[in-house]
């Protein structure tokens, strides 16, 4: 009877040992998966950081282009104002010349 009990206990211990070894193997597999996910996460973080840096550089470039465009717009406005002032000065000079009788006489001779 003792031998039978010992044999049953040995079988139970063997089954428990196999179950524990299976749990250990499963835990090791999970640890490997976690390590792989951590490495993948780190790689994704690096890629994300590179994307952020590229976006920051592009934003800086766009800001510079915007500043350049504003400067060109201001230059264009200044040129328009100068052209308008010259046109007004020319019109005023022409009006002054038209008032002068000597100029009218000279213009009539020159045709």
């Amino acid at each position: 009877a003792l031998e039978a009990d010992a044999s049953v206990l040995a079988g139970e211990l063997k089954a428990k040992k196999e179950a524990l070894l299976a749990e250990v193997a499963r835990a090791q597999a999970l640890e490997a998966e976690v390590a792989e996910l951590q490495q993948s996460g780190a790689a994704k973080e690096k890629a994300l950081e590179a994307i952020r840096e590229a976006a920051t550089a592009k934003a800086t470039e766009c800001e510079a282009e915007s500043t350049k465009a504003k400067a060109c717009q201001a230059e264009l406005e200044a040129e328009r104002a100068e052209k308008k002032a010259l046109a007004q000065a020319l019109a005023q000079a022409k009006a002054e010349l038209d008032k002068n009788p000597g100029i009218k006489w000279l213009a009539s001779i020159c045709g």
Side-chain angles (χ1 to χ4, degrees):
L2 275 173
E3 286 180 19
D5 286 344
S7 178
V8 169
L9 283 175
E12 288 176 1
L13 285 175
K14 185 177 178 186
K16 286 182 179 181
K17 180 181 176 184
E18 288 174 2
L20 282 174
L21 288 175
E23 280 297 313
V24 167
R26 196 169 86 85
Q28 288 173 339
L30 286 173
E31 285 175 351
E33 189 177 337
V34 166
E36 186 179 321
L37 287 172
Q38 287 173 336
Q39 287 178 346
S40 174
K44 286 178 183 176
E45 279 295 323
K46 284 183 180 181
L48 187 57
E49 185 59 32
I51 291 169
R52 279 191 203 112
E53 288 174 4
T56 300
K58 192 66 173 172
T60 302
E61 182 183 328
C62 288
E63 190 65 34
E65 287 295 320
S66 175
T67 301
K68 186 178 175 183
K70 287 176 185 175
C72 287
Q73 180 69 28
E75 188 178 333
L76 181 61
E77 293 295 328
E79 287 177 4
R80 286 180 181 158
E82 183 181 358
K83 183 178 176 182
K84 185 177 178 182
L86 288 172
Q88 287 175 345
L90 182 61
Q92 187 177 356
K94 189 172 186 282
E96 290 295 322
L97 288 174
D98 287 344
K99 288 182 194 175
N100 188 327
I103 297 296
K104 282 185 178 181
W105 174 79
L106 187 59
S108 70
I109 292 175
C110 294

